[in-house]
Amino acid sequence: MLDLPFLPFCAFLGGLGFVCVAFVSAWCQHWRGGFALDGSAQMFNWHPVLMVTGMVVLYGAAALVYRLPPAWRGPKFPWKVLHGTLALAAFVLAVLGLVAVFRFHNDHGTPNMYSLHSWLGLATMLLFSCQWVAGFSAFLLPWAPTWLRALYKPVHVFFGSTILMLSVASCVSGINEKLFFSLKNGTTEYKLLPPEAVFANTLGLLILVFGVLVLGALARPSWKRPDADSPDSCQVPASLWG
């Protein structure tokens, strides 16, 4: 693998996350009629914006907290708090996104939880809620024994990456489902690739690239925080800074 410095990579990834949020917001504002809080289709538009912002971008940022070079120095507890806070913020935004879509469905007599996208999204949210509660209990509460933390840590890391992957899959499938429903009956059909289809497909690819880059950063050994008992635990390699 290329010996990439972490901080320039992190800056690029942050920019890509901002672009993802900007794209989904522009899609909903320009082609889907904007935003509202009245149970209309405009209220539904909060769903994709909040899900991409929370479950992809914020969650990805939470996953990379321990890769930041400053996190390699000093006590780990403040970084645990930051990691948990970002994850909690992602969860809150995602819950608000669920409220938006269920309100829209209920006000328009649309059945809930019938598509693969909805099953995948709800499973992701349930897994995420279990992950956050288990992580909070094991790593932030003072009475969790060291052996339990050591036993649970690889499980937490595995499911963290899995949840991000599921979040990306949920968002991409949701974009595709929305295009199939919207681009018909008075609009240019999806198969003819109108500008909205091209724009939303591009959004899906950007989300996918963001998720892949986060997973790649998590898997890179040289960017992992050394263990507390490692002789390098308080040394930050110069290559990480760029």
Side-chain angles (χ1 to χ4, degrees), residues 5-6 69 72-73 222-224 226 232 234-242:
F6 177 75
W72 292 27
R73 300 180 183 272
S222 62
W223 289 351
K224 293 182 179 180
D232 298 325
C234 294
Q235 300 176 6
V236 181
S239 62
L240 290 179
W241 293 95

Side-chain angles (χ1 to χ4, degrees), residues 179-208:
L179 289 175
F180 273 118
F181 284 151
S182 300
L183 296 182
K184 62 180 181 180
N185 298 332
T187 62
T188 304
E189 293 185 13
Y190 189 14
K191 66 182 179 181
L192 299 178
L193 275 184
E196 180 181 359
V198 175
F199 190 89
N201 285 351
T202 303
L203 166 63
L205 289 177
L206 290 172
I207 292 171
L208 181 61

Side-chain angles (χ1 to χ4, degrees), residues 55-111:
M55 291 302 295
V56 177
V57 178
L58 267 183
Y59 189 80
L64 292 178
V65 160
Y66 297 119
R67 271 44 176 192
L68 293 171
W72 292 27
R73 300 180 183 272
K76 193 175 181 181
F77 183 76
W79 300 99
K80 291 181 180 181
V81 173
L82 178 60
H83 172 75
T85 301
L86 287 174
L88 181 59
F91 182 75
V92 170
L93 291 182
V95 169
L96 293 175
L98 289 180
V99 170
V101 69
F102 279 111
R103 169 77 184 277
F104 169 75
H105 282 177
N106 294 336
D107 285 2
H108 290 78
T110 304

Side-chain angles (χ1 to χ4, degrees), residues 5-19 57 64 67-69 210 213 217 223 240-242:
F6 177 75
L7 287 185
F9 171 85
C10 191
F12 170 78
L13 193 61
L16 180 58
F18 176 82
V19 169
V57 178
L64 292 178
R67 271 44 176 192
L68 293 171
F210 181 89
L213 290 179
W223 289 351
L240 290 179
W241 293 95

Side-chain angles (χ1 to χ4, degrees), residues 59 66 83-84 87 128 130-136 138-139 149 151-163:
Y59 189 80
Y66 297 119
H83 172 75
F128 183 26
C130 294
Q131 169 87 342
W132 194 91
V133 171
F136 178 82
F139 301 120
R149 295 180 180 183
L151 182 66
Y152 176 62
K153 182 179 177 180
V155 178
H156 186 77
V157 171
F158 170 78
F159 279 105
S161 297
T162 300
I163 291 167

